[in-house]
């Protein structure tokens, strides 16, 4: 948390971030920062009684209940893009500004997705594990080339677009499903990509990559039926939100050979409990590191610090989600 230059007046509660966005504001505000604050509802509630700003990652559940206990809160700054952990409607009703960092970490997520795609196609993880054990198995790790294959992108926002450009440079064809866009959308035409209905994309793509926010509509968008509709040689990648995938459905589809492999950077529960996907030879699992590059984190921190500082000094926020100044 940050707290204010006004003695004893708490200004911001904050989940742990590295680098810390509080270094500059800390000269002016009292700060309360603790890495596990997201997991201590009572402590968070207590600190929020006097806080003017709350800075969170994706783990702190900012509910209407919690906000009701924060009478002085002016801004909730989300150090990231996904807003599924914040009740934005409740914040708006209370006149609290919500900001995020949409331009800070999209490249990092797109690059990780590309890396996972290559890792799946060339069996990099099992090939490394076997070689590190002292074996030399070349034929076993014969992979596939991505050039000439079709990448199906579900959700064509910032990250989907960055991924499309990079995959095209690798010689891939791009198919897109996004309910808000159509074939004639300039974003799709410019890339000479093909818009497809969801089911057609699943059947047509060699690799399906998911880039949608988690909402009531997208919860378990990918379940057994969707995986079974993919090509048996296909790969599935999720670097968006874990709740978009039903993991038991994915595990069953993999077990039955309905698709060739999957890579998940995000999980239904984080951290996850060990289940059918852990240790599966055709699955790559990473601990929600999509946004974790030094450059991306630096941009995230700068964006958060700038907007908190602006709002607390009466200026409009730049990366606001609802409105740019507090209305309380
Ligand atoms: C995001 O939503 O920006 C990423 O998933 C990273 C994060 O939540 O920390």
């Amino acid at each position: 948390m940050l707290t204010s230059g006004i003695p004893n007046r708490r200004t911001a509660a904050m989940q742990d971030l590295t680098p810390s966005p509080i270094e500059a504001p800390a000269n002016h505000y009292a700060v309360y920062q603790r890495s596990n604050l997201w997991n201590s509802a009572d402590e968070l509630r207590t600190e929020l009684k006097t806080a003017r700003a709350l800075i969170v990652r994706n783990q702190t559940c900012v509910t209407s209940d919690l906000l009701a206990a924060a009478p002085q809160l002016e801004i909730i700054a989300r150090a990231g893009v996904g807003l599924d952990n914040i009740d934005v409607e409740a914040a708006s009703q209370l006149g609290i500004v919500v900001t995020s960092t949409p331009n800070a970490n999209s490249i990092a997520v797109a690059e990780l997705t590309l890396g996972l795609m290559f890792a799946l196609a060339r069996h990099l993880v099992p090939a490394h594990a076997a070689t590190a054990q002292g074996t030399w198995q070349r034929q076993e790790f014969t992979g596939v080339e991505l050039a000439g294959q079709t990448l199906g992108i579900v959700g064509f926002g910032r990250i989907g677009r960055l991924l499309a450009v990079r995959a095209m440079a690798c010689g891939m064809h791009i198919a897109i499903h996004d309910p808000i866009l159509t074939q004639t959308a300039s974003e799709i035409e410019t890339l000479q990509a093909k818009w497809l209905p969801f089911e057609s994309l699943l059947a047509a793509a060699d690799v399906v990559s998911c880039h949608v926010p988690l909402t009531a509509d997208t919860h378990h968008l990918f379940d057994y039926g969707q995986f079974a509709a993919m090509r048996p040689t296909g790969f599935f990648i999720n670097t968006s939100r874990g709740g978009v995938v039903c993991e038991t459905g994915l595990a069953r589809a993999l077990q039955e050979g309905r698709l060739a492999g999957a890579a998940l950077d995000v999980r239904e529960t984080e951290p996850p409990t060990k289940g059918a996907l852990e240790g599966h030879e055709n699955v790559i699992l990473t601990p929600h590191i999509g946004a974790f590059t030094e450059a991306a984190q630096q941009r995230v921190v700068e964006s958060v610090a700038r907007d908190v500082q602006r709002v607390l000094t009466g200026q409009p926020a730049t990366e606001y989600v609802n409105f740019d100044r507090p209305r309380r």
Side-chain angles (χ1 to χ4, degrees):
M1 291 202 192
L2 314 183
T3 46
S4 84
I6 304 165
N8 303 323
R9 179 125 181 248
R10 185 57 43 82
T11 299
M14 194 176 84
Q15 194 181 327
D16 195 35
L17 293 171
T18 307
S20 170
I22 62 171
E23 274 157 27
N27 296 329
H28 309 283
Y29 304 104
V31 176
Y32 185 83
Q33 179 181 18
R34 200 163 77 71
S35 25
N36 280 336
L37 193 54
W38 64 275
N39 209 11
S40 319
D42 289 343
E43 189 179 343
L44 181 56
R45 197 173 283 269
T46 305
E47 294 302 330
L48 279 177
K49 276 184 195 152
T50 50
R52 291 175 63 204
L54 171 65
I55 301 173
V56 295
R57 271 199 186 286
N58 67 323
Q59 282 173 302
T60 310
C61 290
V62 186
T63 59
S64 54
D65 244 28
L66 188 70
L67 293 177
Q72 297 181 34
L73 202 60
E74 292 169 46
I75 173 171
I76 302 163
R78 165 74 171 93
V81 182
L83 292 165
D84 44 291
N85 59 317
I86 298 174
D87 189 336
V88 178
E89 205 182 312
S92 302
Q93 273 166 15
L94 290 165
I96 302 166
V97 175
V98 179
T99 62
S100 68
T101 59
N103 297 309
N105 58 17
S106 302
I107 292 173
V109 180
E111 286 188 359
L112 178 72
T113 309
L114 202 64
L116 291 171
M117 191 158 60
F118 278 103
L120 284 168
R122 301 301 298 271
H123 310 295
L124 294 187
V125 174
H128 164 75
T131 312
Q133 294 290 323
T135 66
W136 194 252
Q137 308 166 37
R138 298 176 68 199
Q139 311 291 349
E140 285 82 347
F141 298 118
T142 303
V144 291
E145 275 174 14
L146 292 173
Q149 299 218 22
T150 298
L151 168 62
I153 300 178
V154 179
F156 205 52
R158 271 184 204 82
I159 296 168
R161 287 168 210 189
L162 291 167
L163 175 64
V165 171
R166 284 155 177 73
M168 282 176 76
C170 298
M172 297 187 83
H173 306 294
I174 308 298
I176 287 155
H177 178 76
D178 187 309
I180 294 168
L181 301 174
T182 61
Q183 180 62 50
T184 54
S186 59
E187 301 91 324
I188 294 184
E189 278 194 333
T190 313
L191 289 173
Q192 293 180 322
K194 193 168 185 182
W195 187 94
L196 290 177
F198 185 47
E199 288 72 21
S200 310
L201 180 142
L202 296 179
D206 298 293
V207 181
V208 174
S209 190
C210 178
H211 300 282
V212 299
L214 178 61
T215 64
D217 288 338
T218 62
H219 180 253
H220 285 188
L221 177 67
F222 289 90
D223 203 338
Y224 174 76
Q226 286 68 44
F227 294 119
M230 286 178 56
R231 298 181 170 194
T233 51
F235 298 123
F236 173 77
I237 302 172
N238 187 17
T239 53
S240 62
R241 279 293 177 271
V244 167
V245 172
C246 173
E247 291 185 4
T248 52
L250 174 60
R252 182 179 156 206
L254 284 163
Q255 210 60 43
E256 293 177 1
R258 300 300 193 111
L259 73 161
L264 304 180
D265 183 48
V266 287
R267 306 297 298 276
E268 281 190 87
T269 308
E270 293 183 6
T273 45
K274 204 166 173 208
L277 295 172
E278 279 77 12
H280 195 295
E281 58 174 2
N282 299 331
V283 176
I284 300 174
L285 301 171
T286 48
H288 200 151
I289 53 171
F292 282 73
T293 66
E294 284 173 18
Q297 289 308 297
Q298 190 61 45
R299 285 191 292 267
V300 165
V301 157
E302 282 166 12
S303 175
V304 163
R306 186 174 49 243
D307 270 340
V308 168
Q309 178 78 351
R310 286 179 71 82
V311 167
L312 296 187
T313 54
Q315 299 169 72
T318 36
E319 304 287 1
Y320 60 93
V321 174
N322 49 2
F323 33 77
D324 62 1
R325 291 170 193 271
R327 297 181 179 168
R328 53 180 358 189

